[in-house]
Amino acid sequence: MAEGQFGVAGLGVMGQMVALNIERNGFPVVAYNRGAENADHMRKISAGKNVQVTQSITEMAALLQKPRKVLIMVTAGAGTDAVIAELKGVLEKGDIIIDGGNAHFPDTNRRQEELSAAGLHFIGCGISGGEKGALLGPSIMPGGDEQAYKLVEPVLTKIAAQTEDGACCTYVGAGSAGHYVKMVHNGIEYGIMQILCEAYDVMRKSLGMSSSEIQKVFAAWSESEISGFLVEISATCLAKADPDTGKALIELILDTAGQKGTGKWTAQTSLDLGVPTPTLSMAVQARILSGLKPQRIAASRVLKGPTAAAAADRDAVVKALFDAVYLGMVTSYAQGLALIQEASKEYNYGVELSEVARIWKAGCIIRSKILDPIKQAYKADAGLVNLMMDKHFSAVVNRTLPALRTVTQVAAATGVPLTCLGASLAYVDSYRSEFLPANLLQAQRDLFGAHTYKRLDREGTFHTEWEEE
Ligand code: 6PG
């Protein structure tokens, strides 16, 4: 008899953890993986639990109650299409497929169209929280077919992280909204991670602090109003000793970082939609630069930095760094949320930003204390053009901006690159400028390409012969 209430297809670590989470919350699971290794491991860790593991997609379909609900947990891309193709062969009209991977949103649109033509419901669903989150309560960002969502809502809200503000799961919007929101979540994740790395770099290079001294700073920040998962794990990373050498492990790790695509897609879509996301985009550039290790080694011997000694007033700079990081985090959220807002208009997603902030408050990688006032800001004004224009956040920006200036000065004087904090400063300074130098830009364009320009003092479009014959 079909007793399974929820199918999980793809039993890598994330799939295994989500399957256990669903079962723990009272829903019998049918877990599917064609390959033996993952299936065997799932059998082992789910022994005695209400999980049926199968390596046959046909058997999974037979074991599930109708309408069947299957959550795909495979690496985004071709793997997702392959599982969907298999599922199409065994599912029936009215069944529901949920893609829980980090899919690129255009793929989600395409899959939704294809599956809807086949009479199947599709939910593109962002899931954040890593392995631990998947098991204990992730943040879940489902989008797409709303009617179908209603049918899976009891399961998704139950397995999600829980807060005093409700479950960290809500229907975020139509079409590919779920994966779009998750992609931007990751863009913000890239921004905040890089900002914390830059704070670390200022402390070690500009201030000459040891790893254990820096660790204490991050640990203190973990108890502050900017506390959150990424600040906490930075303290944890800095506390770890290498068992072989006894040194701080962080000092032995190669300084090049990879990426899987979501940060890059965030930068790309922000260019497509014309929404400025300098902090998020520069975080991607910082990772690319980190990858040029051999070039950097060669250049370090040719291109000279300043010879300035380490900054004198360590305590003052550490204090300023707190505010700089705070503002960097605020600009990261501000840019990401402005991007979602524009995408929601462009693609008719119908996203409610206060709800997005609410479901990011726990379970996900970018959870932080800042998200509660962010939720309140968008609750008070759903159409808020920029987070920095909210009363609470404009006060935060005004309070922290001088410190960000100090930190960038210290970093510039000591030759430490602030790829993202510098971008955040320029973002705030641009955004708060009534006048930018684009008047000269317009004149340049008009000079060499007759692109025309507009004037401040008159209506109309103008062209000037700029050069004497
Ligand atoms: C999460 C994470 C997770 C993963 C990303 C980022 O929300 O749980 O964002 O999805 O860490 O894939 O990975 P990269 O840094 O490799 O791009």
Side-chain angles (χ1 to χ4, degrees):
M1 205 186 85
E3 309 176 322
Q5 289 184 22
F6 222 83
V8 177
L11 300 173
V13 180
M14 292 293 286
Q16 290 171 10
M17 296 302 118
V18 172
L20 291 180
N21 185 350
I22 298 170
E23 194 273 344
R24 193 184 68 246
N25 280 290
F27 306 97
V29 171
V30 181
Y32 161 74
N33 200 100
R34 196 160 28 150
E37 203 180 317
N38 286 348
D40 284 344
H41 191 251
M42 186 76 226
R43 283 186 191 101
K44 221 179 271 166
I45 60 174
S46 63
K49 298 185 196 295
N50 212 334
V51 178
Q52 302 182 75
V53 183
T54 173
Q55 290 171 252
S56 150
I57 196 111
T58 312
E59 190 184 15
M60 174 169 79
L63 290 170
L64 284 168
Q65 290 174 4
K66 295 179 191 176
R68 301 178 184 87
K69 303 162 188 90
V70 180
L71 172 63
I72 301 177
M73 292 298 292
V74 299
T75 308
T80 310
D81 284 319
V83 177
I84 288 178
E86 282 187 82
L87 284 170
K88 267 172 97 175
V90 296
L91 296 185
E92 293 168 292
K93 272 191 179 17
D95 288 346
I96 302 165
I97 296 177
I98 308 155
D99 175 13
N102 275 333
H104 196 198
F105 71 95
D107 288 338
T108 303
N109 290 330
R110 169 179 57 79
R111 288 168 185 147
Q112 183 150 39
E113 237 168 73
E114 284 168 13
L115 289 169
S116 145
L120 296 170
H121 299 292
F122 187 58
I123 296 172
C125 183
I127 301 180
S128 175
E131 194 181 329
K132 243 188 187 169
L135 177 66
L136 302 173
S139 172
I140 306 180
M141 296 151 249
D145 194 324
E146 192 167 8
Q147 256 178 305
Y149 171 70
K150 289 286 168 216
L151 299 176
V152 296
E153 188 177 29
V155 178
L156 297 188
T157 49
K158 198 117 189 249
I159 66 167
Q162 308 293 324
T163 71
E164 75 298 339
D165 228 358
C168 290
C169 172
T170 193
Y171 174 76
V172 291
S176 49
H179 280 139
Y180 196 95
V181 167
K182 175 57 176 34
M183 172 191 68
V184 178
H185 164 286
N186 283 23
I188 297 170
E189 170 184 310
Y190 274 49
I192 296 176
M193 289 172 85
Q194 177 63 23
I195 280 163
L196 293 168
C197 291
E198 291 172 12
Y200 159 71
D201 217 18
V202 169
M203 285 190 265
R204 68 173 174 165
K205 290 192 194 143
S206 308
L207 304 180
M209 291 168 66
S210 69
S211 294
S212 78
E213 287 171 324
I214 301 171
Q215 195 278 332
K216 289 190 182 77
V217 174
F218 279 115
W221 291 356
S222 301
E223 305 293 321
S224 74
E225 58 190 314
I226 65 164
S227 79
F229 179 70
L230 289 170
V231 177
E232 282 161 29
I233 62 163
S234 302
T236 308
C237 292
L238 280 152
K240 193 78 181 169
D242 172 42
D244 298 332
T245 63
K247 283 189 175 173
L249 180 56
I250 204 75
E251 291 164 21
L252 304 170
I253 297 180
L254 180 69
D255 56 325
T256 67
Q259 51 173 315
K260 288 200 278 293
T262 45
K264 182 182 80 178
W265 299 336
T266 304
Q268 287 171 333
T269 178
S270 76
L271 290 175
D272 289 339
L273 296 179
V275 178
T277 58
T279 309
L280 314 190
S281 301
M282 289 309 281
V284 183
Q285 301 283 357
R287 289 199 192 189
I288 296 171
L289 272 159
S290 81
L292 304 181
K293 181 79 175 176
Q295 286 187 47
R296 290 191 287 113
I297 292 172
S300 71
R301 290 166 193 152
V302 177
L303 308 173
K304 301 292 171 209
T307 46
D313 195 346
R314 186 189 276 195
D315 289 349
V317 177
V318 169
K319 199 161 166 273
L321 263 176
F322 173 82
D323 281 342
V325 168
Y326 194 163
L327 183 46
M329 287 174 73
V330 169
T331 57
S332 298
Y333 288 120
Q335 292 167 23
L337 290 164
L339 179 58
I340 294 173
Q341 197 169 39
E342 187 57 31
S344 182
K345 277 187 218 147
E346 182 70 22
Y347 305 129
N348 296 315
Y349 285 152
V351 176
E352 217 180 294
L353 291 180
S354 62
E355 276 295 281
V356 171
R358 184 185 66 75
I359 63 168
W360 286 350
K361 278 175 58 173
C364 69
I365 304 294
I366 62 168
R367 63 185 185 258
S368 82
K369 272 199 182 153
I370 304 175
L371 279 158
D372 191 54
I374 293 180
K375 183 206 82 179
Q376 286 165 19
Y378 286 101
K379 192 127 196 122
D381 179 3
L384 186 64
V385 290
N386 190 295
L387 181 64
M388 296 187 296
M389 294 302 283
D390 166 72
K391 209 163 151 251
H392 169 81
F393 283 102
S394 57
V396 170
V397 172
N398 286 331
R399 198 180 73 232
T400 53
L401 191 52
L404 180 53
R405 289 190 204 292
T406 305
V407 167
T408 46
Q409 280 160 7
V410 169
T414 47
V416 173
L418 294 191
T419 314
C420 280
L421 282 172
S424 291
L425 177 59
Y427 177 70
V428 180
D429 276 339
S430 297
Y431 197 74
R432 58 165 206 86
S433 288
E434 184 176 349
F435 294 106
L436 286 170
N439 48 341
L440 176 57
L441 200 88
Q442 294 294 61
Q444 291 164 338
R445 292 175 71 234
D446 190 52
L447 183 150
F448 65 66
H451 294 294
T452 73
Y453 59 90
K454 295 206 187 310
R455 295 176 60 115
L456 289 165
D457 58 347
R458 273 180 242 162
E459 287 294 308
T461 301
F462 299 87
H463 169 63
T464 295
E465 289 304 321
W466 294 89
E467 289 168 309
E468 302 291 317
E469 284 307 311

